[in-house]
């Protein structure tokens, strides 16, 4: 797994991640430019105007115009960054959800300290769930009486998705706030109890990755790990068949 | 100058700002109080907007008692002003009279509120019943504490604190004015609470 | 005036329950510094677990009870207590009490030529409320289940279902909030009412301006947190559901609360305070740095007006940026756009302030005294902290960086090598005013250079870890594959932290030693212009023998044709 994660950003296997990485890179280049320029000036001034070499200070220093230009430049740069880079990605991720026909829909239900993954199965309809029916054997509280639930696939800490297909995940939490974090997918989204928050992504490479929790959720927060496996469509289908409820086979 | 501390504008207003220290201080305090109740009111709005259903306040709360309480508080605000005005007219006896009435009205408010609470508890309507009762008890409880605080301050000014009247009448009047501003604020909060919780 | 008043007072009235702003300021300062040390030690213990997860803490590990460490190995319970309490103590019991309670109380009335604060008794109450709140916070370590462990942000529902330590946290916070409320009322009234004759607002030292704006932030931003604390207290004690939605299943059992609440409501109220709180941490620091730069460059601050406007502008805007802490809570496009824009806008005045400070150095005659070294180091450190806030303020970049070590690096650069350096600068600068003695220059320089190196040794690696995607608040970071490559940095950071701890020893020796053995100096050892330097050192009760009259702006250094290179604000008209 080492190869995915180095000292820079983790590898990016998502279709949208390049936009996020680009804004991080542009921002840091600009910050470095600003800081180094500013820092060199600071050192120069400290050297030039040290008391030993410059015993008498100047009371009335002329007005500097350059800083105003820099400040305006920073403001314009920030405006461009917002309008051209930040807003479009946000809109893409939050307002342009893939249609249910095209995407694989899945529910992700977080709890202390595990990720429950709920696939709707062949009918594409999630079976009814009820908090009252939740127990150790049925952590999602899936109502077996509901016909739509019969073909649903549920897993714990195992999220398999096919490559090159949009995934639409509905995030929720059973107990406290968690945060669904896929480092290689540039996805991080809080799962808030009482809400269902949609998040979508599409992988462009296969591999075995991790789901991490990014919001302190209790003593086991640090080990709230899930496996995120991106498969070829064939392999994914095979995995899915294997995990389908027995009665269907 | 006043007292031996050398601090100015304790009894007499600052020539530029036109207020004494205590008056400016109490206004700052009230600004902070506005933010406190503002925080709770916005919590009320958020909870109500997010709720699947919200009970009709007038159906489950005692509107006549609350109306009575509103009257009591408004009257007490008037008597509070009268006590301050009596000081302006140098009539200390009248001041004490009006102040005592203000305190009694404040106590009456709390007694009525106590009946309301007792009635709710009898029917097992507690803060944990639902979010409506939660915000109802929190808002009215916090307001009740403010009333209680006002009563304590006013009682201080009725008995031991009134010794200042002989020493420095201007400073004493300033204090009563500040206490009055606070009392009006507490009254005002109730005037918001009453329709929001009982009527809407 | 009041000379006689101070002599007759018994010891406990003069030094313990004092109403003198200077005594209260020093009480605040010393208590706050001790809490900074305490909060820092919590982190030194915690950092062992981060550098060497699961290994027993050597030497002192076995001293901890079994509820905290077993065989010297830290338990997650204790780790999360240390984390939550480090944040709480550093911010609410350490930095703010030192910056506002300490420096604000001691320096501000002197700088405006007032005999004391407008409400001396409230001032005393403010300190003692803080003290009680602090005792409650510390006591929470000894209750069953230990101290609060849901982070300094105390997000419900987690904090609602946490052990009783969280209740202590809330009650402690309530005391803190009321303490700062009394303080801020006092500050605002004092600055508006008690300025010496001639000290108009545009002659006000920059430090006083910074305290003035800070006080408004404390006055108006804290009450919503009070409201939120009351609600969380109700949730915990009266079992209401303000922050508990319907249908929670905790530990496999359906929650018995009525539900209907919203966990995000807490976050909104909390950050409505906590973002202005960031500026409460930084504005007084900027004020201190401004004073020291003007004095040690021997020239007026460049762009005094721009500085003042920027500070006011920051103060106002800080009320409308809070939700940039919540981009990932499922926020819609419009709201995220709004908060991204306000966040970018608030970065501009910070840039202005930083630029103005650097330009203030131009043309100066720069003395590298110890306070100046700390003040100068503040500039690039705050620069790093401020700049790294920008990617976090862009909701899109925040998707990757949110809740990673990048965030930790960002705000620590602002507060630790930023604000803390400014506070150290202030201690070295005003120490002779409070005691009549100087602190040791040599020890001060050792303290500075070591602190500067190790501060960066701790916080710079955080950005690398954050970019690599390492989350904060992980008891054992090695559980995740994506944390492994940067794990060696945790060792670097921990060793830097422990060395930083050792680097504070010269300061502690210097601070307490110089009270008794420091070189005696006159009333104005730095040759500064502002009013506090015209009072005796230490100033008596009532501060000034005769009320000062102010005739000029705060920084009349190196006026051409003048006899000395500084003219005190109170020097009569035409004095050269």
């Amino acid at each position: 797994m080492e190869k995915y994660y180095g000292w820079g950003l983790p590898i990016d296997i998502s279709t949208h991640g390049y936009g996020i990485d680009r804004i991080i890179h542009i921002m840091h280049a600009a910050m470095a430019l600003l800081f180094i320029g500013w820092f060199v000036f600071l050192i120069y001034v400290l050297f030039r105007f040290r008391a030993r070499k410059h015993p008498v200070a100047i009371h009335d220093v002329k007005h500097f115009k350059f800083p105003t230009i820099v400040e305006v430049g920073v403001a314009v740069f920030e405006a461009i960054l917002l309008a051209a880079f930040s807003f479009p990605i946000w809109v893409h991720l939050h307002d342009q959800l893939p249609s249910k026909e095209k995407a694989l829909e899945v529910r992700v239900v977080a709890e202390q300290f595990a990720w429950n993954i709920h696939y709707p199965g062949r009918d594409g309809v999630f079976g009814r769930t009820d908090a009252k029916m939740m127990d150790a054997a049925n952590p999602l509280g899936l109502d077996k009486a509901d016909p739509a639930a019969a073909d649903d696939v549920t897993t714990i800490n195992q999220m398999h998705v096919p490559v090159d297909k949009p995934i639409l995940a509905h995030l929720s939490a059973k107990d406290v706030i968690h945060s669904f974090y896929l480092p290689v997918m540039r996805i991080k989204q809080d799962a808030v109890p009482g809400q269902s928050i949609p998040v979508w992504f599409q992988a462009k490479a296969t591999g075995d990755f991790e789901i991490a929790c990014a919001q302190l959720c209790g003593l086991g927060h640090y080990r709230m790990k899930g496996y995120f496996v991106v498969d070829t469509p064939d392999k994914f289908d095979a995995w899915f068949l294997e995990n389908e409820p027995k009665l269907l086979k | 100058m006043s007292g031996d501390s050398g601090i100015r504008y304790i009894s007499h207003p600052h020539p530029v700002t036109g207020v004494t220290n205590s008056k400016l201080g109490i206004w700052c305090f009230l600004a902070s109080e506005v933010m406190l109740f503002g925080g709770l009111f916005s919590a009320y709005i958020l909870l109500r907007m997010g709720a699947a259903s919200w009970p009709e306040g007038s159906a489950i709360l005692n509107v006549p008692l609350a109306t009575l309480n509103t009257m009591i508080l408004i009257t007490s605000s008037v008597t509070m002003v009268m006590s301050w005005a009596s000081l302006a007219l140098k009539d200390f006896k009248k001041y004490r009279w009006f102040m005592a009435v203000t305190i009694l009205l404040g106590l009456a408010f709390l007694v009525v509120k106590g009946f309301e609470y007792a009635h709710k508890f009898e029917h097992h309507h507690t803060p944990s019943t639902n979010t409506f009762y939660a915000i109802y008890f929190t808002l009215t409880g916090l307001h009740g504490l403010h009333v209680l605080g006002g009563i304590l301050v006013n009682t201080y000014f009725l008995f031991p604190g009134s010794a200042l009247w002989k020493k420095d009448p201007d400073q004493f009047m300033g204090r009563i004015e500040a206490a009055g501003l606070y009392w009006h604020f507490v009254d005002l909060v109730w005037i918001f609470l009453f329709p929001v919780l009982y009527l809407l | 005036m009041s000379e006689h008043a101070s002599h007759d007072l018994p010891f406990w009235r003069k030094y313990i329950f004092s109403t003198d702003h200077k005594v209260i300021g020093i009480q605040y300062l010393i208590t706050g510094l001790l809490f900074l040390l305490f909060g820092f030690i919590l982190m030194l213990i915690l950092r062992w677990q981060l550098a060497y997860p699961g290994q027993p803490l050597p030497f002192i590990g076995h001293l901890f009870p079994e509820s905290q460490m077993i065989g010297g190995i830290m338990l997650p319970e204790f780790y999360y207590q240390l984390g939550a309490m480090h944040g709480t103590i550093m911010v609410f019991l350490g930095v703010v009490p030192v910056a506002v309670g300490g420096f604000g109380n001691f320096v501000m009335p002197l700088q405006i030529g007032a005999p004391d604060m407008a409400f001396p008794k409230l001032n005393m109450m403010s300190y003692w409320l803080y003290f009680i709140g602090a005792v409650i916070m510390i006591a929470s370590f000894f209750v069953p289940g230990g101290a609060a462990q849901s982070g300094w942000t105390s997000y419900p529902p987690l904090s609602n279902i946490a052990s009783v330590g969280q209740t202590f946290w809330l009650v402690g916070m309530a005391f803190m909030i009321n303490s700062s409320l009394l303080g801020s009322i006092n500050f605002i009234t004092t600055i508006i009412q008690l300025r010496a004759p001639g000290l108009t607002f545009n002659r006000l030292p920059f430090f006083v301006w910074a305290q003035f704006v800070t006080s408004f932030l404390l006055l108006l931003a804290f009450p919503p947190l009070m409201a939120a604390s009351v609600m969380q207290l109700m949730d915990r004690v009266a079992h209401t559901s303000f922050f508990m939605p319907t249908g929670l299943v905790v530990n496999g059992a359906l929650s018995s609360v009525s539900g209907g609440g919203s966990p995000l409501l807490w976050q909104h109220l909390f950050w409505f305070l906590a973002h202005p709180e960031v500026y409460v941490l930084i504005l007084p620091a900027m004020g201190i740095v401004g004073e020291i730069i003007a004095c040690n460059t021997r020239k007026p601050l460049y762009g005094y007006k721009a500085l003042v406007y920027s500070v006011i502008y920051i103060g106002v805007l800080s009320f409308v940026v809070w939700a940039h802490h919540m981009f990932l809570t499922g926020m819609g496009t419009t709201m995220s756009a709004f908060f991204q824009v306000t966040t970018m806008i608030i970065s501009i005045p910070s840039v202005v302030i930083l630029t103005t400070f650097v330009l203030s150095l131009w043309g100066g005659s720069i003395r590298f005294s110890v306070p100046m070294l700390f003040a100068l180091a503040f500039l690039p450190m705050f620069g790093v902290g401020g700049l790294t806030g920008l990617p976090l303020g862009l909701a899109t970049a925040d998707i990757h960086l949110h809740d990673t070590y990048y965030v930790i690096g960002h705000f620590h650069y602002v507060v630790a090598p930023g604000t803390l350096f400014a506070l150290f600068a202030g201690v070295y600068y005003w120490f002779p005013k409070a005691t009549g003695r100087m602190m040791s220059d040599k020890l001060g320089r050792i303290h500075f250079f070591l602190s500067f190196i190790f501060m960066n040794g701790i916080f710079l690696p955080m950005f690398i870890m954050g970019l690599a995607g390492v989350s904060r608040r992980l008891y054992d970071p090695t559980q995740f594959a994506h944390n492994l490559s940067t794990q060696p940095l945790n060792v670097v950071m921990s060793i830097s932290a422990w060395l930083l701890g050792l680097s504070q020893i010269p300061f502690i020796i210097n601070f307490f030693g110089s009270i008794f053995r420091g070189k005696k100096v006159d009333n104005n050892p730095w040759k500064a212009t502002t009013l506090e330097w015209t009072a005796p050192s230490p100033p008596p009760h009532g501060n000034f023998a005769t009320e000062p009259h102010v005739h000029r702006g705060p920084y009349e250094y190196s006026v051409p044709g003048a006899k000395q290179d500084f003219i005190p604000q109170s020097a009569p008209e035409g004095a050269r």
Side-chain angles (χ1 to χ4, degrees):
Chain A
M1 278 214 187
E2 215 56 23
K3 63 182 188 286
Y4 302 137
Y5 314 106
W7 280 59
L9 296 171
I11 61 153
D12 163 38
I13 60 154
S14 68
T15 51
H16 72 268
Y18 75 96
I20 293 176
D21 290 4
R22 188 173 57 185
I23 201 168
I24 290 177
H25 289 139
I26 295 176
M27 202 69 229
H28 280 83
M31 281 152 58
L33 187 76
L34 209 61
F35 184 76
I36 292 170
W38 178 92
F39 191 69
V40 168
F41 178 74
L42 173 72
I43 299 298
Y44 169 73
V45 173
L46 291 182
F47 183 75
R48 179 171 158 188
F49 294 103
R50 64 195 192 279
R52 201 143 49 87
K53 274 280 138 65
H54 197 253
V56 179
I58 306 164
H59 182 263
D60 296 303
V61 178
K62 67 177 167 61
H63 182 75
F64 296 92
K65 288 216 177 65
F66 185 65
T68 317
I69 299 171
V70 174
E71 278 146 20
V72 172
V74 170
V76 171
F77 173 74
E78 285 175 351
I80 293 172
L81 215 55
L82 280 178
F85 296 97
S86 193
F87 292 164
I89 302 171
W90 196 262
V91 170
H92 176 71
L93 281 176
H94 286 84
D95 297 345
Q96 297 168 351
L97 300 178
S99 67
K100 299 198 172 186
E101 293 75 44
K102 265 200 204 151
L104 171 70
E105 257 192 301
V106 55
R107 285 177 69 229
V108 176
V109 182
E111 69 175 305
Q112 286 176 327
F113 303 94
W115 300 97
N116 296 293
I117 317 292
H118 183 186
Y119 296 89
R122 295 182 188 191
D123 61 355
V125 181
F126 290 109
R128 210 175 65 82
T129 57
D130 188 340
K132 288 190 196 79
M133 297 185 183
M134 289 179 185
D135 56 38
N138 184 9
L140 279 167
L142 194 61
D143 182 359
K144 298 279 160 59
D146 181 12
D151 63 346
D152 286 12
V153 172
T154 62
T155 66
I156 299 174
N157 289 334
Q158 294 285 337
M159 185 173 189
H160 284 243
V161 299
V163 72
D164 294 329
K165 181 169 181 158
I167 314 295
L168 178 60
H170 302 278
L171 290 181
S172 56
K174 282 162 66 172
D175 36 34
V176 302
I177 301 175
H178 301 269
S179 191
F180 180 69
Y181 177 29
L182 302 173
V184 294
M185 202 53 83
R186 300 295 184 270
I187 284 292
K188 194 182 286 160
Q189 173 62 57
D190 287 1
V192 183
Q195 291 186 27
S196 172
I197 301 169
V199 51
W200 80 276
F201 51 87
Q202 182 174 336
K204 56 183 188 187
T206 58
D208 289 3
F209 308 100
E210 288 172 332
I211 309 169
C213 181
Q215 181 70 265
L216 178 60
C217 59
L219 299 180
H221 166 61
Y222 69 97
R223 56 180 164 79
M224 185 165 165
K225 178 159 87 166
Y227 295 92
F228 176 64
V229 181
V230 185
D231 273 337
T232 58
D234 295 347
K235 270 191 173 168
F236 174 76
D237 288 343
W239 174 84
F240 201 83
L241 274 175
E242 215 173 280
N243 283 276
E244 271 190 315
K246 296 282 178 286
L247 61 142
L248 280 174
K249 281 185 182 166
Chain B
M1 294 260 173
S2 126
D4 59 5
S5 61
I7 299 165
R8 285 168 181 257
Y9 314 123
I10 289 177
S11 341
H12 301 287
H14 187 291
V16 177
T17 61
V19 288
T20 56
N21 296 344
S22 59
K23 202 163 175 183
L24 185 60
I26 199 77
W27 277 114
C28 287
F29 176 66
L30 295 184
S32 172
E33 291 280 70
V34 168
M35 295 301 286
L36 174 66
F37 281 99
L40 283 168
F41 270 114
S42 46
Y44 166 88
I45 294 167
L46 248 138
L47 288 172
R48 185 168 182 168
M49 285 197 329
S53 68
W54 194 261
E56 187 90 18
S58 54
I60 54 174
L61 298 178
N62 194 330
V63 180
L65 270 188
T67 314
L68 173 67
N69 250 349
T70 312
M71 296 313 214
I72 291 176
L73 266 196
I74 291 177
T75 316
S76 78
S77 254
V78 174
T79 55
M80 188 81 205
V81 173
M82 297 300 281
S83 73
W84 177 78
S86 310
L87 285 182
L89 296 170
K90 312 272 179 229
D91 191 341
F92 188 67
K93 251 193 192 151
K94 249 190 179 163
Y95 153 76
R96 290 193 97 155
W97 214 91
F98 278 118
M99 196 50 137
V101 175
T102 309
I103 294 165
L104 288 176
L105 286 169
L107 286 172
F109 175 88
L110 287 184
V111 169
V112 172
K113 200 78 226 160
F115 276 119
E116 266 193 85
Y117 274 18
H119 188 71
K120 291 284 163 290
F121 289 139
E122 261 168 43
H123 290 76
H124 301 290
H125 289 150
T126 62
S128 61
T129 304
N130 57 35
T131 40
F132 172 79
Y133 277 114
I135 195 83
Y136 163 77
F137 277 107
T138 308
L139 271 171
T140 53
L142 199 66
H143 176 260
L145 284 178
H146 277 78
V147 174
L148 186 65
I151 291 172
L152 290 176
V153 169
N154 286 348
T155 311
Y156 172 79
F157 285 135
L158 179 61
F159 299 113
S162 65
L164 186 66
W165 170 251
K166 290 236 165 64
K167 233 174 91 189
D168 188 343
D170 288 319
Q171 189 184 355
F172 186 65
M173 260 184 77
R175 287 188 175 180
I176 299 305
E177 195 182 0
L181 284 170
Y182 172 78
W183 194 252
H184 298 325
F185 172 79
V186 172
D187 191 3
L188 194 69
V189 169
W190 178 256
I191 289 174
F192 270 94
L193 283 182
F194 175 52
V196 164
L197 292 172
Y198 289 80
L199 304 179
L200 289 176
Chain C
M1 300 272 273
S2 54
E3 271 305 307
H4 65 279
S6 61
H7 292 302
D8 315 333
L9 293 173
F11 176 84
W12 63 276
R13 280 289 309 273
K14 203 168 164 188
Y15 295 110
I16 312 284
F17 294 102
S18 170
T19 56
D20 186 317
H21 75 99
K22 298 179 293 295
V23 178
I24 296 169
I26 291 168
Q27 286 174 331
Y28 257 121
L29 185 93
I30 292 180
T31 323
L33 285 174
L34 288 176
F35 276 116
L36 283 176
L37 184 66
F38 180 69
F40 182 44
I41 290 172
L42 296 185
M43 188 40 66
L44 296 184
I45 300 170
L46 183 151
R47 282 233 62 103
W48 174 265
Q49 169 67 19
L50 280 175
Y52 308 105
Q55 292 182 37
L57 178 66
F59 311 124
I60 56 165
H62 64 277
L63 298 175
F64 290 86
E66 292 235 319
S67 59
Q68 295 174 340
M69 293 194 189
I70 293 180
I73 299 170
M74 189 181 295
L75 295 172
E77 287 85 340
F78 189 46
Y79 177 90
Y80 287 117
Q81 287 171 37
L82 290 176
M85 294 307 283
H86 166 77
T88 308
I89 288 173
M90 287 314 227
V91 172
F92 297 107
L93 274 63
V95 175
V96 177
V98 172
V100 182
F103 287 114
N105 250 321
F106 185 88
V107 178
M108 184 273 285
L110 284 167
Q111 278 198 333
I112 64 170
D116 205 322
M117 297 288 261
F119 309 112
K121 282 189 195 124
L122 287 189
N123 207 13
M124 177 180 79
M125 251 166 78
S126 159
Y127 173 78
W128 287 104
L129 284 176
Y130 155 66
F131 191 85
I132 296 169
V135 169
I136 292 171
M137 286 279 185
I138 302 306
S140 70
F141 273 106
F142 304 100
V143 299
Q149 45 198 282
S150 311
W152 79 285
T153 48
S154 290
Y155 280 4
L158 183 64
S159 54
N160 273 7
I161 58 176
S163 63
V164 69
Q166 181 65 28
T167 306
F168 275 68
W169 188 91
L170 290 165
V171 175
M173 280 310 288
F175 276 95
M176 296 291 149
I177 293 169
N178 286 312
S179 156
S180 79
L181 168 66
L182 295 183
S184 57
I185 291 172
N186 221 337
F187 276 52
I188 293 171
T189 309
T190 306
I191 294 172
I192 292 180
Q193 298 279 92
L194 299 185
R195 280 169 291 119
L199 188 58
T200 55
F201 270 102
N202 50 23
R203 286 175 175 173
L204 221 48
F206 181 56
F207 177 78
V208 179
W209 267 113
Q211 291 286 346
F212 192 50
V213 175
T214 304
S215 301
F216 275 101
L217 297 185
L218 286 174
L219 183 76
L220 301 177
F222 251 129
L225 182 66
M226 183 73 190
S229 298
V230 168
M231 286 190 272
Q232 198 177 102
L233 211 57
M234 290 290 283
D235 272 9
R236 291 180 56 86
V237 179
H239 307 293
T240 56
S241 298
F242 285 116
F243 306 124
M244 304 288 262
T246 311
L248 284 189
V249 178
V250 180
N251 289 329
L254 191 62
S255 173
S256 59
V257 298
S258 69
S262 156
L264 295 187
L265 174 60
W266 167 270
Q267 294 191 25
H268 280 291
L269 291 170
F270 180 85
W271 287 115
F272 187 84
L273 151 84
H275 201 82
E277 177 77 11
V278 173
Y279 293 97
V280 170
L281 299 173
I282 197 70
L283 293 182
M286 287 173 170
I288 294 171
V289 168
E291 295 299 304
I292 292 172
I293 285 185
C295 173
N296 285 284
T297 53
R298 316 307 297 161
K299 64 180 280 297
L301 278 180
Y302 174 82
Y304 169 83
K305 278 212 171 116
L307 282 173
V308 170
Y309 287 135
S310 296
V311 166
I312 296 173
Y313 186 63
I314 284 181
V316 174
L317 265 180
S318 72
F319 284 98
V320 288
V321 296
W322 79 91
H324 67 208
H325 297 267
M326 302 168 58
F327 282 142
L328 302 188
T329 54
M331 191 182 281
T333 308
T334 322
M335 212 158 90
S336 91
F338 173 78
F339 283 104
Q340 286 183 71
V341 170
T342 54
T343 305
M344 290 301 123
I345 294 174
I346 204 171
S347 72
I348 304 291
S350 301
V351 174
V352 170
I353 289 175
L354 210 52
T355 322
T356 312
F357 278 155
V358 178
L359 292 178
S360 274
L361 302 170
W362 186 275
S365 173
I366 301 170
R367 305 189 304 205
F368 292 97
S369 60
V370 175
M372 184 63 166
L373 287 175
F374 277 103
L376 286 173
F378 168 88
L379 301 177
M381 296 297 96
F382 175 69
V384 172
L387 282 172
T388 49
L390 291 176
L392 296 169
L394 293 167
T396 322
D398 193 48
I399 293 173
H400 182 62
L401 299 174
H402 188 83
D403 267 348
T404 64
Y405 265 86
Y406 198 92
V407 182
I408 313 276
H410 154 65
F411 69 71
H412 276 93
Y413 258 98
V414 174
V415 179
T419 299
L420 280 186
F421 272 11
L423 297 182
F424 281 132
V427 171
Y428 285 101
Y429 184 65
W430 280 300
F431 190 88
K433 182 48 58 190
T435 62
R437 293 170 188 270
M438 289 293 255
M439 287 174 83
S440 153
D441 195 61
K442 197 190 253 170
L443 285 174
R445 276 168 208 276
I446 295 171
H447 175 220
F448 169 73
F449 284 107
L450 291 178
S451 297
F452 185 78
I453 293 165
F454 296 129
M455 280 277 190
N456 285 288
I458 303 171
F459 300 119
L460 206 56
M462 288 187 175
F463 296 124
I464 300 168
M465 289 179 88
L467 287 169
V470 181
S471 292
R472 65 195 289 196
R473 294 171 172 169
L474 294 175
Y475 162 71
D476 180 358
T478 60
Q479 293 280 327
F480 290 95
H482 67 269
N483 297 347
L484 291 177
S485 59
T486 52
Q487 176 62 15
L489 286 178
N490 260 329
V491 180
V492 175
M493 286 150 67
S494 292
I495 292 174
S496 299
W498 299 325
L499 291 175
L500 181 66
L502 293 178
S503 313
Q504 304 314 304
I505 293 173
F507 175 73
I508 296 168
I509 295 173
N510 200 352
F511 186 86
F512 291 103
S514 301
I515 295 176
F516 306 102
R517 293 218 209 116
K519 197 181 90 193
K520 280 197 175 170
V521 286
D522 64 3
N523 293 341
N524 190 3
W526 306 108
K527 308 258 172 283
T529 50
T530 40
L531 289 180
E532 78 268 33
W533 301 106
T534 59
S537 302
H541 193 68
N543 293 343
F544 299 93
T546 52
E547 187 177 45
H549 285 251
V550 173
H551 301 282
R552 57 185 60 73
Y555 308 115
E556 288 303 306
Y557 290 102
S558 304
V559 179
K563 270 203 300 269
Q564 308 175 82
D565 71 343
F566 70 105
I567 309 177
Q569 278 194 282
S570 58
E573 213 69 67
R576 286 267 144 164

